[in-house]
Amino acid sequence: MNRGQLSRATASNASVQNLPSQQQQSTPIATMNLYEPRTMQNEPNFVLFYYIDLPIFVIGTLFNGFILQTIIFNYSKLVRDRLDRCVALLIGAYFTWCVAATVQYSVWLFHASSWFYRLSAIVTSMQIIMLFGANTLMALERFFMIRDYSVQQSSKYVVGVIVYIGVMCGLIVGLFISSPSHDAIWPANPVEQSIWTISMLLSFVIMSVSIAVLYTLTFRYSSRMLREAFESMKMTGRDSEAGQVYAHDASISHLQLQRKILNKCFLMFGIIFFAYAPEAFSFVLVRTLKLNQWDQPIFGFQTVARILLVLDVLISPAFVLYFMTDIRKAVLRR
């Protein structure tokens, strides 16, 4: 056994020692660059993974794939501006995640190589960054649209977010090239673990706060514009020229439509945040504070948090269909 294999075996044995006595040797062990197949005997989360997660990911693959295919086939009609492209990116990210997770869980039932575990960890981490990145871009686009910013004025901010997503994806790939992963989630080596944990948590906080701030600023701005439009209409009076009254009514209708769309965006972000926040919180509790994840209260909380996270691959796309009338009509026509 070479040094790399010895380190993987040592790390795996160390993780097994943290389990309660009835679950000893319940973590797949790496031997000769292969991990043992995951079974009911060696995987405490087997029921969660294969009776709950996997069916959801399979359904998510079909559901998101159908929506994405509809968008692609009707691209010229459904993707008219950057906001539509952000929605398409979001659906694409969910579809990719579902496909990758379905393949990952299926391969885990057989002997999987250490490099497959690394690849699984890369895809999982990148999908989280992509999902929050797409939502950040949607919040930016909504902010620029309601303030009537030109494409040239807003492009630098959009490019900045895209560059940040690219840098994070590059960092994730580099970390898992440098370090193996025993759980297909985070790096096994301590240095890479620390970098991954800090960068992922910071990204989660930065993007979540940015989205909340952008939507709040947009909401306040639209409220002020609506008040000013109503006051202007009162001052103008109904005895003024019909054209001027019509202009005021059109302005108010436009602002009210923007507010409705903004409220929908707020709701979508709330769904995504509350789907991922419990998982992030449990991660901090277990990994950072070195708590025993097999203690019943923590294990139960982690299970609920995991289910909420996985369900997001169905809930958020369903809300996209509900909110995006054109996409919904195109899907229903097929």
Side-chain angles (χ1 to χ4, degrees), residues 235-251:
M235 292 176 63
T236 302
R238 286 292 174 178
D239 295 330
S240 60
E241 295 182 3
Q244 194 172 12
V245 173
Y246 175 80
H248 281 297
D249 290 345
S251 176

Side-chain angles (χ1 to χ4, degrees), residues 15-272:
S15 65
V16 170
Q17 291 172 1
N18 290 329
L19 301 178
S21 58
Q22 68 270 26
Q23 291 175 329
Q24 289 291 327
Q25 298 193 12
S26 61
T27 301
I29 305 299
T31 57
M32 299 302 293
N33 287 322
L34 292 176
Y35 284 84
E36 292 181 357
R38 297 197 177 193
T39 65
M40 190 78 76
Q41 288 71 38
N42 69 7
E43 175 53 74
N45 287 313
F46 189 89
V47 172
L48 173 64
F49 286 166
Y50 290 96
Y51 289 87
I52 299 177
D53 286 6
L54 184 57
I56 292 174
F57 281 126
V58 172
I59 296 171
T61 300
L62 300 175
F63 184 46
N64 289 286
F66 189 72
I67 299 174
L68 187 61
Q69 187 183 54
T70 302
I71 293 174
I72 293 172
F73 286 172
N74 301 273
Y75 192 85
S76 60
K77 296 179 180 179
L78 299 179
V79 184
R80 296 181 296 269
D81 52 34
R82 286 195 311 207
L83 184 62
D84 292 334
R85 286 194 286 272
C86 291
V87 172
L89 174 63
L90 189 66
I91 297 298
Y94 279 119
F95 174 71
T96 305
W97 184 14
C98 288
V99 171
T102 300
V103 172
Q104 171 183 308
Y105 281 38
S106 301
V107 172
W108 279 353
L109 293 173
F110 307 93
H111 286 286
S113 69
S114 60
W115 277 103
F116 181 81
Y117 269 67
R118 296 189 197 210
L119 181 61
S120 299
I122 289 172
V123 171
T124 300
S125 299
M126 288 177 63
Q127 290 308 311
I128 294 173
I129 295 297
M130 291 292 290
L131 289 175
F132 276 86
N135 277 276
T136 304
L137 289 171
M138 288 176 64
L140 272 174
E141 191 60 26
R142 180 57 52 199
F143 177 80
F144 295 138
M145 285 180 68
I146 207 163
R147 284 179 171 261
D148 292 325
Y149 277 39
S150 67
V151 175
Q152 291 75 19
Q153 289 175 306
S154 59
S155 292
K156 59 182 179 182
Y157 300 101
V158 174
V159 171
V161 174
I162 294 173
V163 168
Y164 179 80
I165 294 172
V167 170
M168 280 300 302
C169 290
L171 176 63
I172 289 167
V173 172
L175 289 174
F176 287 105
I177 288 177
S178 174
S179 169
S181 176
H182 297 315
D183 56 5
I185 297 175
W186 70 335
N189 296 342
V191 174
E192 285 84 349
Q193 276 184 15
S194 299
I195 297 173
W196 184 91
T197 302
I198 293 171
S199 59
M200 291 297 289
L201 287 177
L202 278 178
S203 294
F204 176 77
V205 172
I206 290 171
M207 290 188 180
S208 297
V209 171
S210 298
I211 294 169
V213 169
L214 283 167
Y215 280 148
T216 300
L217 291 175
T218 307
F219 188 84
R220 291 177 62 182
Y221 180 80
S222 64
S223 298
R224 179 165 60 86
M225 294 298 293
L226 271 174
R227 285 196 302 270
E228 291 178 357
F230 278 120
E231 290 172 0
S232 176
M233 188 174 68
K234 289 179 181 179
M235 292 176 63
T236 302
R238 286 292 174 178
D239 295 330
S240 60
E241 295 182 3
Q244 194 172 12
V245 173
Y246 175 80
H248 281 297
D249 290 345
S251 176
I252 291 173
S253 298
H254 174 72
L255 286 169
Q256 288 175 333
L257 177 62
Q258 293 292 332
R259 280 287 294 273
K260 288 181 181 179
I261 298 173
L262 180 61
N263 290 335
K264 294 174 182 178
C265 292
F266 252 129
L267 180 58
M268 277 199 62
F269 169 67
I271 292 168
I272 291 176

